[in-house]
Amino acid sequence: GSMFKPSPYATLPVLQHYFESARTWKGAAAEHGCAFVPAVSPGFNDMGVRPEKRNPPLSRQLSARDPPGSLFKTALQYARRLVDPSVSNLIMVNSFNEWHEDTQIEPVKGAITSSPYDQTWGMYYYDYGEEYLNILKKETSAPSVPVPI
């Protein structure tokens, strides 16, 4: 097997590239008379249900120096620039309660942990309470913040 282990952090340049691609997808959808709904995710980790796939987890932090929730917050800021008024400015959030893939934004209580390592890759999981619902509310109800795409 390879000794290479991808970073669990999306990082701002990768997120920017994703939303540059999404802008292209929005244009392609418009060319075909289809609405476009940008998508965001708070993170991802399916090691608990599909360990044989060895999918690298995606941290909820944009980078190691950013706070928990920074990936979700920044993704929402970029997604808001791509919403389509013809479908009520929808944004697809993956997801409210998919705990098995660590994409939940549902409130949580628990201890801070990075165990077991074979399922977390050393990333920390936090007792974030209602933080993700608060981020969603703030980022979708505040005036649009310009972000470069």
Side-chain angles (χ1 to χ4, degrees), residues 94-116:
N94 180 30
S95 69
F96 183 71
N97 64 357
E98 285 191 13
W99 295 91
H100 63 285
E101 291 184 341
D102 191 34
T103 60
Q104 76 283 350
I105 63 171
E106 182 177 29
V108 66
K109 294 275 186 206
I112 297 172
T113 185
S114 64
S115 297

Side-chain angles (χ1 to χ4, degrees), residues 60-141:
R60 289 169 170 259
Q61 296 170 247
L62 190 55
S63 75
R65 291 182 296 273
D66 291 314
S70 54
L71 173 62
F72 190 54
K73 176 181 178 179
T74 307
L76 283 165
Q77 291 170 352
Y78 277 90
R80 286 192 64 198
R81 308 297 291 166
L82 298 175
V83 295
D84 187 337
S86 74
V87 288
S88 303
N89 298 323
L90 288 175
I91 295 175
M92 166 66 180
V93 176
N94 180 30
S95 69
F96 183 71
N97 64 357
E98 285 191 13
W99 295 91
H100 63 285
E101 291 184 341
D102 191 34
T103 60
Q104 76 283 350
I105 63 171
E106 182 177 29
V108 66
K109 294 275 186 206
I112 297 172
T113 185
S114 64
S115 297
Y117 185 85
D118 66 328
Q119 292 184 13
T120 67
W121 288 30
M123 291 188 310
Y124 280 90
Y125 288 82
Y126 298 89
D127 172 5
Y128 58 78
E130 295 183 358
E131 182 64 20
Y132 286 86
L133 297 180
N134 294 335
I135 291 170
L136 182 62
K137 181 179 180 180
K138 179 180 177 192
E139 296 303 325
T140 59
S141 61

Side-chain angles (χ1 to χ4, degrees), residues 4-55:
F4 175 74
K5 181 175 154 191
S7 169
Y9 302 104
T11 71
L12 186 56
V14 171
L15 195 65
Q16 288 171 328
H17 178 74
Y18 170 79
F19 282 102
E20 287 168 6
S21 296
R23 182 177 296 285
T24 301
W25 305 330
K26 181 180 181 177
E31 287 176 15
H32 295 282
C34 295
F36 179 78
V37 178
V40 298
S41 180
F44 180 83
N45 185 350
D46 68 348
M47 290 297 293
V49 292
R50 286 183 284 280
E52 72 285 355
K53 297 288 186 183
R54 302 289 301 150
N55 292 322

